[in-house]
Amino acid sequence: MVQTPIVPHTQPTVMSKPQPFFEAAIERICSVYTQDSARKDGIYYWPEPLPTPDQQQPDPLVLFYPEQSLTTHTGMEQQECEAVIPMTRREVLERRSRDNIRPSMQIPLGLTDKPAEQQRETLLINLHGTGGDETGGPLLIAGAQHSGKATTLQTILFWLTTRFLPEQLHCAILDPFAELTHFQSLPHLYNSNGDACWSTGHADEQLRHFAESVQAEIQQRRTTFSQQHAQTLAQLWSQGMILPQILVVISNYQFFAERTATAMPLKKLVQSVIEARTLGIYLVITSTETNQRYIPQEIINQCSTKIGLNLKDQQRRELFGSTLLSTEAVPGRGWIQTPERRIQEIQLALPINGTNESLRDVELKRELLQPTL
Ligand SMILES: Nc1ncnc2c1ncn2[C@@H]1O[C@H](COP(=O)(O)OP(=O)(O)OP(=O)(O)O)[C@@H](O)[C@H]1O
């Protein structure tokens, strides 16, 4: 039996504002009975809540450990943020040229809350999956406006382009609202023919060209796999044949849905990419809508990992097939449904720290323009 800790009688703490009695009591207990002593007694504390962006700290959770604190526009040093990766970006860049790297579509994207297990864990999305066709798979991020969709795409691209050399990773991006333009400068966005693989898809011709170039890559890859009698990209890499992993990003899918000339070719492209996962070709889609009018139900069903950010009740039902409580309306907060169909609350990470969007934007651009190691 665990004994109740004895709290010595101390002077009341001086507080700046009145605190409810139970909060003051908990604070007093915590000050004398540390987490370490509790663990030794077999008591595990409820984990910290998910970090919440607010006015005081708009960037509580970032991808990499910040190199240095950025100063705010008022010149004051900002508060420390939590990092998903306990390393700076520079350290990850250094490792990528040193490590014997293997293909991997595991992406650290934030934190997840598991109240039943009293745990808060790193949220790892695995687009490849480890256990056959039902695992990994396409990622769909659906969310209201300003809920953090574009930022999440930036975090995904920032991770993958930091982790992998351009010959190991290639991205093809359809970006109608030009939210990912900073990545255009990276060699990862050029295919083996030297063609840029970023497009707004505004003109039908642009979209057709984008779809054709991705389809051509898929076709070429099928031929290579069969010539080499390979089952997986990892097999080819281990034989010294480095074909890049390909990430296809379709941002704001709903934008294309009502254009009759583009809806069908885009749907066909998505189907082909979904089928090409075993060839090392992966898909991430974002959408502000979850209704069939804007995104075909087959596509929603085939996306085995789904994230919903600040959605209405009806949209949560359309996306997850079940009614969930709404989450706090802060950017990057929502629900994830994983391939095992588990649903968990999450907080997604910013790619970079900074107290407002324009500071973060400048900093991200600067990081991406820096010569890599
Ligand atoms: N995980 C996060 N943590 C903190 N702030 C975030 C996070 N994600 C996004 N934000 C901030 O919230 C705002 C909206 O983000 P973002 O532009 O990514 O949303 P969006 O869903 O793409 O919006 P829209 O649909 O209007 O394009 C931005 O100021 C962004 O910096």
Side-chain angles (χ1 to χ4, degrees):
M1 206 34 204
V2 176
Q3 281 189 349
T4 316
I6 298 156
V7 182
H9 185 78
T10 51
Q11 289 300 312
T13 330
V14 183
M15 284 174 288
S16 49
K17 61 173 184 189
Q19 237 178 341
F21 171 75
F22 66 90
E23 277 185 19
I26 289 171
E27 202 172 275
R28 289 271 299 285
I29 293 171
C30 291
S31 69
V32 290
Y33 189 59
T34 63
Q35 287 202 13
D36 275 354
S37 340
R39 276 203 195 100
K40 278 186 204 136
D41 293 339
I43 298 172
Y44 289 86
Y45 276 82
W46 197 256
E48 292 284 307
L50 293 172
T52 301
D54 58 20
Q55 270 194 336
Q56 266 189 337
Q57 193 174 16
D59 58 350
L61 184 65
V62 292
L63 179 60
F64 299 110
Y65 195 78
E67 204 79 52
Q68 62 200 25
S69 300
L70 301 172
T71 47
T72 63
H73 54 285
T74 55
M76 284 168 61
E77 194 142 291
Q78 67 178 82
Q79 293 182 43
E80 250 188 48
C81 18
E82 262 185 80
V84 179
I85 300 290
M87 285 194 267
T88 63
R89 177 169 185 253
R90 171 161 283 276
E91 285 167 332
V92 177
L93 283 170
E94 274 166 10
R95 283 182 69 155
R96 82 173 180 190
S97 9
R98 232 186 21 231
D99 284 357
N100 190 6
I101 218 161
R102 287 190 309 176
S104 163
M105 274 287 151
Q106 210 172 52
I107 306 167
L109 208 51
L111 292 174
T112 167
D113 191 24
K114 296 183 170 172
E117 291 149 50
Q118 294 191 18
Q119 271 177 13
R120 198 181 71 156
E121 281 178 5
T122 301
L123 168 66
L124 283 174
I125 306 271
N126 190 341
L127 295 183
H128 184 75
T130 48
D133 286 352
E134 294 306 313
T135 68
L139 167 64
L140 170 62
I141 306 165
Q145 286 196 331
H146 307 302
S147 59
K149 300 180 298 298
T151 306
T152 311
L153 288 181
Q154 289 178 347
T155 305
I156 292 174
L157 291 170
F158 201 41
W159 166 254
L160 289 174
T161 55
T162 300
R163 184 77 186 102
F164 292 106
L165 295 163
E167 56 267 33
Q168 299 163 337
L169 174 87
H170 164 58
C171 307
I173 302 178
L174 203 50
D175 181 18
F177 301 152
E179 294 165 315
L180 304 167
T181 47
H182 294 343
F183 292 88
Q184 262 183 295
S185 58
L186 295 180
H188 300 79
L189 264 81
Y190 290 81
N191 67 14
S192 47
N193 302 326
D195 298 329
C197 295
W198 177 92
S199 170
T200 59
H202 283 179
D204 294 349
E205 178 52 30
Q206 286 174 319
L207 192 92
R208 201 177 49 79
H209 179 73
F210 179 88
E212 276 173 9
S213 75
V214 175
Q215 298 278 20
E217 291 243 22
I218 297 175
Q219 199 42 51
Q220 202 178 343
R221 190 150 292 198
R222 283 199 196 288
T223 313
T224 314
F225 265 60
S226 94
Q227 279 167 353
Q228 300 295 322
H229 307 291
Q231 304 292 327
T232 64
L233 202 61
Q235 251 176 30
L236 288 177
W237 283 31
S238 68
Q239 292 161 16
M241 186 171 190
I242 309 290
L243 290 184
Q245 307 174 92
I246 298 177
L247 179 72
V248 179
V249 175
I250 300 175
S251 171
N252 287 287
Y253 192 101
Q254 81 287 343
F255 174 83
F256 302 101
E258 289 199 323
R259 278 165 49 190
T260 40
T262 55
M264 202 34 96
L266 191 61
K267 190 174 160 191
K268 272 198 184 144
L269 173 69
V270 166
Q271 297 291 359
S272 310
V273 177
I274 290 176
E275 283 161 22
R277 182 157 58 101
T278 48
L279 305 171
I281 302 178
Y282 306 94
L283 179 68
V284 178
I285 301 177
T286 67
S287 175
T288 51
E289 304 291 338
T290 49
N291 190 281
Q292 296 228 40
R293 236 178 89 202
Y294 299 99
I295 179 160
Q297 192 64 45
E298 302 103 279
I299 293 184
I300 297 190
N301 295 346
Q302 282 175 299
C303 287
S304 41
T305 307
K306 293 175 204 142
I307 290 180
L309 302 172
N310 198 13
L311 294 174
K312 299 194 188 93
D313 287 354
Q314 170 66 19
Q315 293 178 313
R316 282 198 297 277
R317 257 195 305 279
E318 281 163 354
L319 190 67
F320 298 117
S322 61
T323 331
L324 296 164
L325 292 177
S326 58
T327 50
E328 223 171 322
V330 292
R333 178 66 55 84
W335 297 104
I336 186 166
Q337 187 174 50
T338 57
E340 313 83 60
R341 306 199 64 74
R342 284 210 297 180
I343 299 183
Q344 284 151 2
E345 193 173 8
I346 52 170
Q347 176 63 40
L348 300 169
L350 285 164
I352 210 150
N353 61 319
T355 48
N356 62 49
E357 193 178 350
S358 40
L359 272 177
R360 292 195 286 269
D361 206 50
V362 170
E363 198 54 28
L364 181 64
K365 190 169 180 189
R366 198 184 60 78
E367 272 290 324
L368 291 170
L369 285 174
Q370 266 183 10
T372 47
L373 305 153

